[in-house]
Amino acid sequence: MSRVLQLIALVLFAALAGPLAAPMAVAQQAAPAGATDADAGLPDYEAWERVASRAEESLSTGLASDQALSELRAELADWRTRLLNAQGINASRIKTLREQISALGPAPAEGETEPEEIARRRAELARQLADLQAPGLKAVEAHSRADGMIREIDVLIRERQTSKLLELGPTPLNPVNWANGAQALRKALSGMMAEVADAWATPSGRQTFREDLPATLLFLAMAAVLLARGRRWVVLLSERLIRSTRQRGAAVSSALVSLGQIVVPTVGLVLLAAALGSTGLAGQQLGTILVALPVIGLTFFAARWLGSRVFAEHSVSRRLFDLRPERMAEARFLSTGMGLVVALAGLLGLVGELAAFSSEAKAVLGFPLVVVGGLLLIRHGQIMIAQGRTDPGPDQQRPYRNRVIGLVGRAAIMLGVIGPTLGAIGYKEAADFFTYPPILTLALLGLLMVLQRFVGDVYNLVTGHDDAEGAGEALIPVLLGLVLAVLALPLLALIWGARVADLTEIWARFLAGFTLGDTRISPADFLTFAIIFGIGYGMTRLVQGTLRTTVLPKTKIDPGGQTAIVSGLGYVGLFLAALVAITTAGIDLSSLAIVAGALSVGIGFGLRTIVENFVSGIILLIERPISQGDWIEVGGVMGIVQDISVRSTRIQTFDRTDVIVPNADLVSGQVTNWTRQNLTGRVILKVGVAYGSDTRKVEKILREIGESHPLAMVNPPPTVVFQGFGADALEFELRVVLRDINYGLSVRTELNHEIARRFAEEGIEIPFAQRDIWLRNPEALRTRARSAGPPEQPPRQEDEPQPEPQDDTGPGEMDADGPDGGGTR
C-alpha cells in the first residue's frame, strides 16, 4: 500500500502546487547529484570501473532487491551524465586539427608521394588528432556501457513488477483466512496501545504529558473547530461569491476560495496530529501514522472538493456536466466515497507495513475496500455514460467531449468489475492495480477539467468578456488546456505503475539529444538557436519599422520603392539571423549536404511553380515595373495594386474584390500599367450625329466641351476627329488628355452629359439605327391570299382570343432596304 500513498501524494501535490510541479521534479532528479566544476574534465575512470563491476555483478546474480537496484541505477545514471559531458572534451581543438589536415590537401593515393615536409606535417597532425580524440572515444565507450546496464536494470525491475502483478495468493473468500486477517489487525492495534501504555508507565512520559497538556488542549480545540466548521465557512463564502454573479472575477475568486475546503480541514488534521504527538505517548508505529495522517486526510478532503467542483449544480462559471440535480448530488457522493476508499487503503497499507501483515491478512483486509471501490467505479461509470448520452443542445457545442466521457465511463465499469473479480480469485496485486489507479485517473481527469475551466475564467477576467462558454472556446484557453493535459501525462504514467526513474530516463534521453553526422544536437542547442534567431528576428523587425515610419518617408523614394526596400531588408535579416543562430548553436549541417542535394531535385520539381513565383517576386521588388497603388490590367483583371509579396500580388478591383495574381504572370505576361510613369491619360468619346448636320459646328461644340472641363490638359489640347460616314450617322471622336486618369470614368460621364445638353440646345440630332421594310408586288400577294381561301380553324372557344389573319408571303419576297433604297434579296 505504500505505492498507493506515493501516488496519493503525487496527485495531491499536483492539485495544490499546479501541473508544473511534476516536470520540475523530474528535471531536478535528472540533474547529476554530485556534479561539480571538476566533473567538466576527465572522469575518474577507476571509480567508474568499480561502480560498473559492482553493477554487472548484481545483474549477473539477480539477487539484489528492488530498492538496491534503484539506488544502483541512480548511481549509474549519474555516471552516464558525466560520461556524456566528457564526450565533448577537446571538441574545439579537434575541429581545428581537422581543418589543418584538410588545408594540406587530400592524402596521396597508394603508389603516389608528396613532399616530405607536407607528409611529416600531416603525420604530426594525425598523431595530435588521435591523442585528442582518445578521451572522447573512451567516454563514448563508457557511456554505452552505463546506458546498457541501466536498460538491464529497468528490464529486471519491470519483469519483477509484472511477475508480482500476476502472482496468485490466498483468496479472501476462504473463511480460514478471515481469522488471520482479524488477528493481524487486532495485533497491530494492540501493539500501538502497548506503546502508549509503556510511555505512560514511565515517569518521564507522564511528566512530558503534564507539561505539554495546555498546548495539547489548545491544538485539540483548534483542530476540532477547523474540522467541524472550517469547511462550512468556506462553502458559505463560495456561495456568496457565486450569488454575486455581477461582480467581475467572481468565478476566479470563488474557485480560489473553494480551495479552503481542502486547506482548512487539512490544517485541522495537522493540528490534531501535533496535539497527539505533543503528548509524548505516541510510539514508533503510532508516530508514523500521525505523520502520515494529514496526507491521508488530504486525500479525502481533496476528493470531496473535486467532486463539488466537477459536479457543481450552480456555478458562476460554466458547468462541466449537464445532468439532473439528483444525478449531480449522487456523483458528488460517489467522488467523496472514492476519496475515502483510497485514504483507507493508504492507511491500511501503512499499518500493514508497520505490523508486517501476512499475505492472508493483506488479502482479507484489503478485499472489502477493493469491492467498494469497484462498486463506486461502476456507478460512477454509469453517470458518465449518462453524460455521454446527453444532448448538448444548440448553445453547447460539446458532443466530442461527451463521447469521450462516455467511453471513459464504459472503461470505468469494466475495470470496476475486473478488480473485485481478480481480488476474489486471489490476485491481490492485480485487483489493487485495476481498482486504485482507475480511481486516481478519474480524479486526475476531473482535476484537468477544473483547471481548464479555471484557465477560461482567468482569460474571461483578463479580457473582460462576460460569456463563460465563449471564453472556454477561445484559442488561448484551449491551447493552455492542451498544455495542462500534456503536463499531466507524467502523473498519469506514475498512477499506472511507471517509476520516477522511467520518467527521469526519458528526460535524460531528451536532454542528451541525438547525433547528426559528427555532431550531437541537444535541446540546449535548439533553445540557443531559438533565442538567437528570436533576437535577430526582433532586431530585423525593429529596423524595418524604423525605416518604414521614420527614415524612408523623408526620402524621395516612391511608396513602391520603400516597400521593396523594407521587404528586401526583412528577407536579408531573417537569413542572417538563421545563419548566426545555427553557427552559435554549433549545429553542423555539412552532413546534410548530400541528403539536401538529393531532396532538392524532387523538391525542385514539386515546388517549381512556387520557386518561379518567388523569383518573379524578387524581380518585381528590384525592377519595380509595378508598385503599390498602381492601376494595372493583367489577364483581364483591372484594379489597384494593394500589396506585392514574394509569391503573389494582391489587386483590388473596382468592384472592391481582391484578386491574387501569381508574380510569374506579372513578369512573363502582358501588363498594362495606367499610372506607372505619370497619372495623365486620354479618354476617347465616340459621338454620332444625323446626316445633314453642320460638321464644322459639331466639331466646334465638341472642342468647347472638352476644353471647358477642369481636368482636361491645355497641352496637348482636346481634339476632335471626324472619323467618317457611318451606316446611320456621321461619326466623330472627342479625345481629351486628363491630368489624372484615375478620374477617367467620372470625366467620361460628365462629358457625355454635357454633349447631350449642348446638342439639344443647338438642335443637333443624335440618330439611332432604324430600317424601312418595302413589299414588292403587293397586288399579287393579295390575289394569292384570296384564291387560297381562309385556313381551316379549330372549334372556337368562348374566351380564347383569335389571332389576326396574315398575308401569305412566299420565301424570298420580303426585302430590307437601307436608307439608300437598296434592298437585299
Side-chain angles (χ1 to χ4, degrees):
M1 290 296 180
S2 60
R3 179 77 183 166
V4 176
L5 279 176
Q6 293 175 2
L7 295 177
I8 292 170
L10 286 171
V11 173
L12 295 178
F13 182 76
L16 296 177
L20 294 177
M24 291 174 62
V26 173
Q28 291 174 359
Q29 295 176 5
T36 60
D37 295 337
D39 295 332
L42 290 174
D44 185 359
Y45 285 102
E46 293 182 359
W48 155 245
E49 188 63 33
R50 290 192 297 269
V51 173
S53 300
R54 181 161 51 88
E56 290 174 349
E57 182 180 358
S58 299
L59 289 172
S60 61
T61 59
L63 300 178
S65 63
D66 291 348
Q67 181 66 24
L69 288 176
S70 299
E71 295 175 357
L72 183 59
R73 187 196 182 282
E75 192 173 357
L76 289 174
D78 184 12
W79 275 104
R80 184 179 60 178
T81 304
R82 297 184 184 184
L83 295 171
L84 179 63
N85 296 331
Q87 294 179 14
I89 293 177
N90 303 325
S92 58
R93 181 59 181 158
I94 290 174
K95 182 179 180 181
T96 303
L97 286 175
R98 286 177 175 174
E99 292 176 353
Q100 289 179 279
I101 295 174
S102 177
L104 296 177
E110 185 177 359
E112 298 180 357
T113 60
E114 63 179 348
E116 181 180 356
E117 183 178 355
I118 296 179
R120 186 171 58 254
R121 182 59 177 167
R122 187 188 301 276
E124 176 64 21
L125 293 176
R127 185 188 61 79
Q128 295 180 16
L129 180 62
D131 293 340
L132 292 175
Q133 286 178 333
L137 295 177
K138 188 175 182 180
V140 170
E141 184 272 333
H143 177 272
S144 301
R145 185 181 180 186
D147 190 64
M149 287 188 290
I150 288 175
R151 286 198 297 267
E152 290 182 24
I153 292 176
D154 290 338
V155 171
L156 181 58
I157 293 178
R158 280 194 290 267
E159 288 177 353
R160 290 182 179 181
Q161 289 178 342
T162 304
S163 62
K164 187 177 180 180
L165 191 66
L166 300 178
E167 181 181 355
L168 179 61
T171 172
L173 300 182
N174 188 356
V176 177
N177 298 326
W178 297 353
N180 294 331
Q183 183 179 0
L185 184 60
R186 184 171 59 254
K187 182 179 179 181
L189 294 178
S190 62
M192 287 184 283
M193 294 301 297
E195 290 179 350
V196 174
D198 293 341
W200 179 259
T202 60
S204 60
R206 291 193 297 270
Q207 181 66 24
T208 302
F209 177 78
R210 294 188 185 95
E211 292 177 355
D212 295 337
L213 184 59
T216 301
L217 295 178
L218 177 62
F219 287 160
L220 285 176
M222 295 174 60
V225 171
L226 293 179
L227 290 174
R229 304 298 299 173
R231 179 178 180 273
R232 180 59 180 169
W233 294 339
V234 176
V235 171
L236 291 176
L237 181 58
S238 299
E239 291 178 353
R240 179 175 299 179
L241 290 175
I242 291 175
R243 286 193 297 267
S244 61
T245 54
R246 294 183 180 180
Q247 178 184 355
R248 184 180 178 184
V252 177
S253 302
S254 175
L256 295 177
V257 170
S258 68
L259 291 175
Q261 301 178 28
I262 302 176
V263 176
V264 174
T266 303
V267 172
L269 278 182
V270 172
L271 293 176
L272 177 62
L276 297 178
S278 64
T279 60
L281 302 178
Q284 180 180 1
Q285 295 184 7
L286 185 58
T288 304
I289 293 176
L290 290 178
V291 172
L293 183 62
V295 176
I296 296 174
L298 184 64
T299 305
F300 173 74
F301 300 139
R304 186 171 59 180
W305 168 83
L306 191 59
S308 65
R309 298 301 298 178
V310 175
F311 302 100
E313 296 181 19
H314 306 287
S315 175
V316 72
S317 183
R318 64 184 186 278
R319 296 175 58 183
L320 298 177
F321 279 77
D322 305 312
L323 298 173
R324 298 192 303 271
E326 56 272 16
R327 279 291 184 93
M328 301 285 273
E330 182 184 2
R332 292 194 296 270
F333 174 77
L334 295 175
S335 301
T336 305
M338 287 181 176
L340 181 61
V341 167
V342 174
L344 292 177
L347 179 61
L348 181 62
L350 181 59
V351 174
E353 289 183 0
L354 295 175
F357 283 175
S358 63
S359 58
E360 292 82 2
K362 291 181 179 178
V364 171
L365 296 176
F367 182 68
L369 294 177
V370 171
V371 172
V372 175
L375 294 176
L376 292 174
L377 281 174
I378 293 174
R379 188 53 186 161
H380 213 292
Q382 293 175 351
I383 293 178
M384 298 177 72
I385 292 177
Q387 171 64 26
R389 295 173 179 173
T390 302
D391 184 12
D395 298 331
Q396 300 179 6
Q397 302 297 327
R398 299 187 291 187
Y400 176 75
R401 196 201 66 162
N402 288 345
R403 287 197 298 269
V404 173
I405 292 176
L407 293 176
V408 174
R410 291 180 175 86
I413 293 176
M414 181 180 64
L415 295 175
V417 173
I418 293 175
T421 303
L422 293 176
I425 296 173
Y427 292 99
K428 180 185 180 305
E429 295 294 334
D432 293 344
F433 179 78
F434 286 105
T435 301
Y436 300 117
I439 292 177
L440 295 177
T441 300
L442 292 180
L444 182 61
L445 295 178
L447 179 62
L448 273 178
M449 296 173 67
V450 172
L451 289 178
Q452 290 174 352
R453 181 177 63 181
F454 180 75
V455 168
D457 294 338
V458 173
Y459 176 81
N460 193 19
L461 174 63
V462 173
T463 58
H465 294 160
D466 295 330
D467 185 9
E469 290 288 344
E473 298 299 330
L475 178 61
I476 294 179
V478 170
L479 293 179
L480 292 178
L482 180 61
V483 171
L484 291 175
V486 173
L487 294 177
L489 292 179
L491 284 176
L492 186 63
L494 290 173
I495 288 174
W496 286 96
R499 297 176 297 120
V500 177
D502 297 330
L503 301 181
T504 57
E505 180 68 15
I506 296 175
W507 183 252
R509 293 189 179 277
F510 174 74
L511 292 179
F514 59 92
T515 302
L516 185 64
D518 296 332
T519 304
R520 176 175 291 274
I521 301 178
S522 64
D525 298 331
F526 284 106
L527 182 62
T528 303
F529 172 82
I531 293 176
I532 300 300
F533 182 78
I535 293 174
Y537 179 81
M539 293 180 61
T540 301
R541 293 306 184 192
L542 180 62
V543 174
Q544 282 183 298
T546 303
L547 288 177
R548 184 185 294 110
T549 59
T550 305
V551 179
L552 293 178
K554 299 179 180 179
T555 63
K556 296 182 179 180
I557 303 176
D558 58 277
Q562 296 179 12
T563 303
I565 293 174
V566 173
S567 300
L569 181 62
Y571 295 121
V572 173
L574 291 179
F575 175 77
L576 293 178
L579 185 62
V580 173
I582 292 174
T583 305
T584 305
I587 301 176
D588 185 11
L589 302 181
S590 58
S591 56
L592 294 179
I594 300 177
V595 179
L599 292 177
S600 62
V601 178
I603 295 176
F605 284 106
L607 303 179
R608 181 178 60 86
T609 304
I610 296 178
V611 174
E612 182 181 2
N613 291 326
F614 182 81
V615 175
S616 301
I618 295 177
I619 294 175
L620 291 177
L621 292 175
I622 295 176
E623 295 185 355
R624 294 189 289 115
I626 61 174
S627 300
Q628 185 176 355
D630 287 355
W631 174 11
I632 67 172
E633 181 179 2
V634 55
V637 178
M638 180 181 294
I640 305 299
V641 177
Q642 298 294 327
D643 181 56
I644 302 175
S645 63
V646 293
R647 192 195 67 82
S648 61
T649 297
R650 182 168 61 90
I651 301 175
Q652 186 180 69
T653 66
F654 298 110
D655 296 332
R656 291 297 185 270
T657 58
D658 287 346
V659 179
I660 308 300
V661 180
N663 288 333
D665 295 347
L666 298 174
V667 173
S668 60
Q670 181 177 353
V671 181
T672 302
N673 195 329
W674 297 90
T675 59
R676 175 56 186 162
Q677 299 298 331
N678 50 60
L679 297 178
T680 59
R682 187 177 68 176
V683 295
I684 300 177
L685 282 76
K686 295 183 179 182
V687 182
V689 298
Y691 278 91
S693 302
D694 188 351
T695 57
R696 294 296 181 180
K697 183 178 180 182
V698 171
E699 180 180 0
K700 178 182 177 182
I701 293 173
L702 292 177
R703 184 178 290 107
E704 291 176 354
I705 292 174
E707 293 175 350
S708 63
H709 198 279
L711 288 180
M713 295 189 65
V714 179
N715 187 18
T719 59
V720 179
V721 179
F722 186 10
Q723 288 288 89
F725 303 92
D728 302 308
L730 301 175
E731 297 176 348
F732 289 83
E733 284 186 359
L734 173 59
R735 302 181 177 183
V736 182
V737 179
L738 304 181
R739 296 188 178 90
D740 192 347
I741 193 61
N742 292 315
Y743 296 95
L745 189 61
S746 59
V747 170
R748 182 186 297 273
T749 300
E750 295 173 359
L751 291 178
N752 283 329
H753 281 298
E754 185 65 17
I755 289 173
R757 186 185 67 81
R758 288 291 303 275
F759 278 14
E761 291 179 355
E762 301 293 339
I764 299 175
E765 180 183 359
I766 300 177
F768 55 88
Q770 54 182 337
R771 294 290 183 269
D772 294 335
I773 299 177
W774 295 79
L775 298 178
R776 296 181 179 180
N777 303 323
E779 295 82 2
L781 294 176
R782 293 192 184 95
T783 302
R784 184 182 304 174
R786 284 194 298 268
S787 62
E792 295 183 1
Q793 300 290 335
R796 190 168 186 177
Q797 299 295 330
E798 192 69 24
D799 298 333
E800 182 179 358
Q802 299 297 321
E804 294 292 334
Q806 297 180 355
D807 293 336
D808 185 10
T809 57
E813 297 183 0
M814 180 182 293
D815 296 335
D817 298 337
D820 56 355
T824 302
R825 192 74 176 167

